[in-house]
Amino acid sequence: MPEIEQPVGTTLPADETPNTDTRSFGPASTPTHPLATAPVGMPSHSVDGFVREFLHELNTNQGVTLSRSSVNDQYLALASTVKNYLMARWLETGRKTREAKAKTIGYLSAEYLLGRQLGNALLATDLNEVASKGLELCGLDLATLRAQEVEPGLGNGGLGRLAACFIDSLATMDVPCIGYGIRYEYGIFRQTFVDGRQVEQPDTWLALGSPWEFPHPEASVQVNFGGHTEKATGADGKERTRWVPAWNVLGVPYNYMVPGYLNGRVNTLRLWSAQATKAFDLQIFNSGDYAQAVRAQTFAENISKVLYPEDSTPQGKELRLQQQYFFVACSLRDFIDNELEEDFDLHNLPERITYQLNDTHPVIAVPELMRLLIDEHDFAWDEAWEVTRHCFNYTCHTLLPEALEVWPTELLGRLLPRHLEIIYQINEEFLDDVREAFPGDEIRARRMSMIAEHPERGVRMAYLATVAASKVNGVAELHSQLLRDKVLPDFSELWPDKFTNVTNGVTPRRFVKLANPRLSDLISDAIGSGWVTDLERLKELEPYADDPEFKEKFREVKAANKTRLTTLLKARDGIELPDGHLLDVMVKRLHEYKRQSLKLLHIVSLYEQVTSGKLSASDLTPRTVVFGAKAAPGYKIAKDTIYLINKVAAKVNAAPELEGRLKVAFPANYNVTLAEELIPAADLSEQISLAGMEASGTGNMKLALNGALTIGTDDGANVEIRRLVGDKHFFLFGMNEPQVAELSAKGYDPGSYYQSNEQLRSALDLILSGHFSDGDQHQFDSVVFNLLNEDRFMALADFQSYIDAQAKVEERYADQEAWTRSAILNVARTGYFSSDRAMRDYLQRIWHTTPMI
Ligand SMILES: *Cc1c(COP(=O)(O)O)cnc(C)c1O
């Protein structure tokens, strides 16, 4: 095809002229040309049309011909091409939503762990085949170009990934939603291992270009900080408060397309980037101190510079509070100024938007909306509160006390003096209500105060969220119950109807269709393709669990996915995966409550028993354990656990007795891209948190949907997974939550388990002996002494039960027919865990709105 070497023509047919209408990003002057309101046409879905578009992008956007182009040029041109297919739909979605005055979901989240965009965009537009063929005609390979994309890692783990799944589902269900968040210049760090230790590298996801974002500096929003407040009486005799801020920054919106699956809807994700305002530029001229002025600029831009890498353990840093206020201030402002009609009466705001607070990170939006209404729109307090409390809902994601954010009033007052005043007043009025509901119970009123007095005076953000929200939800049935009974009991007693549950879900588009095309084809061949948007239809697979031909094909799919993973890990990490092993997968953030240490004790125990001759290697089920986990950079025990896993892996993998029997693989930098490769290959899913500690988990759902069997505790959504797939197809072990509470109350003594369990003692002793640390007996004190002396998450108490459950795993795996049957039933019975269902539950129980028709 020599003609494709020619640069393509520069003139497009009229209906393909790029539209310059910017109304979806703010009010524009009334368009005069008829074409200015009509969205652009869509490029043709033919292979030729695609090639033409692709080469046009390569020539005009990248400024290269095909023969001179790099893989990165080709990837960027391909991304632009796919965007062109989505563009008309995107513009149309914005127009339609504004015209219908439909209620919008404002999803407020400090994190979005999106994963790569290209594959998902091709899926949503049904362009996979066309793109693949078109690129082939150009001598290019789609998979190679897809691999060029660096995923935007703008989240830590489950919470950020949940936000990404939710916005995918809302778009697919035709529900108007704007996701609001922060465009971190550096997302979650890139994990490397140096001599087995985690070393963090900055995530330079923007370095090679970011084709999926649309910056709109002209729509920037000013955000104020610091200063003080003043009271003044106006001409009307009313007293008003004025915030006199000390400094400000600009929030620049970057829009991302959120395409629904094959339905033509494209919602928007709007991430804010911080920039210095003009005030800083002026300083350059006025002060003459150029260096100082540039420092000020850097200071402003620091706000969106980096994602805090703590998962479930906030550090209470000033910059973090700046980030939180920065993005919610921009977001509230954006909706009022740009999405509503100019004459819109803000008393009716709850009819047009409902804000979902993804954990406490965006809760400062509550006093911010109050401030906007009272100080800038002249609302009376009661009127403003009436609107505010109908605009917000709050999702709690944890039970760990250390994960609940408390901002020192000193810091809050210094950074946001007006907001602290408003919080105090909300609290006062709330405590009046408490005293009215429970007369004479002053202790209760103190307990429920949003202001904590110890260890220092601070605002309990979860309480503020609970008071302001219409609905408060936990993320799995058990978690929601514990939230009501243990975390917020006073509040659920006061307002029982405020509390509800929505069990989390994951998007079947990314985590089945995209990640596991072989399984997807097998399912679609059996039951049709409707399951992709109606996942409960996987139920129709149940009869196939007894169909020998289907079972054989199911095993072939799993084997092929393992081969795909083997190829990837070889190239990515130099890891060799043996053939034909049970693939035992534990992938999630490294956290004590998730108990990677328990999995490690299982491995060490197998190693100890075989190398000491207590157990014959030939009795082991050939197994490869794969870990994927990042630790927060300041979380010492977690980082030491990573080091210990790598040291144990080195010994296990080098032991000749274990050759072909046990292997431990720990590819670095677990992220969404790696998850999409690992999960389809997994046989066994490790969900082994201490009961009552994992709010929901979503990794558990992804793995079950891809045909892995779970070994897990009665925790989070595991409870519901087990109920749905059936006890026979789930390996339950360990204490349940009431048993944990009972043991806790009695006084937990990990040492007693060490003393009484020979197998456990041998494993711990082997670590203590320095065997895994070149003779250094103290290398792993932090991990082992912690287990022996404190063991806050009771790994030792659940050890024996875990070992017993692993024996049952081996027994089942030995019977491949039985195992395959269980695996198919896991797929067939976990359709409930689609994030589409989760969104339907939010629509019914929390948002009280319906899809657009
Ligand atoms: C799903 C997912 C998580 C959450 O895993 P859990 O096992 O629920 O903690 C974390 N990180 C990534 C990259 C994910 O895809």
Side-chain angles (χ1 to χ4, degrees), residues 113 156-158 161 511 587-589 593-594 670-672 675 679 687 694 696-700 702:
L113 192 52
N156 273 285
R161 184 52 238 178
F511 288 108
V587 287
K588 48 187 72 258
R589 280 301 285 260
Y593 84 80
K594 292 177 181 282
Y670 179 60
N671 58 9
V672 177
I679 289 170
Q687 308 300 335
E694 185 72 88
S696 161
T698 50
N700 47 3
K702 298 169 199 166

Side-chain angles (χ1 to χ4, degrees), residues 31 202 456 501 553:
E456 59 184 326
N501 170 249
K553 286 188 183 150

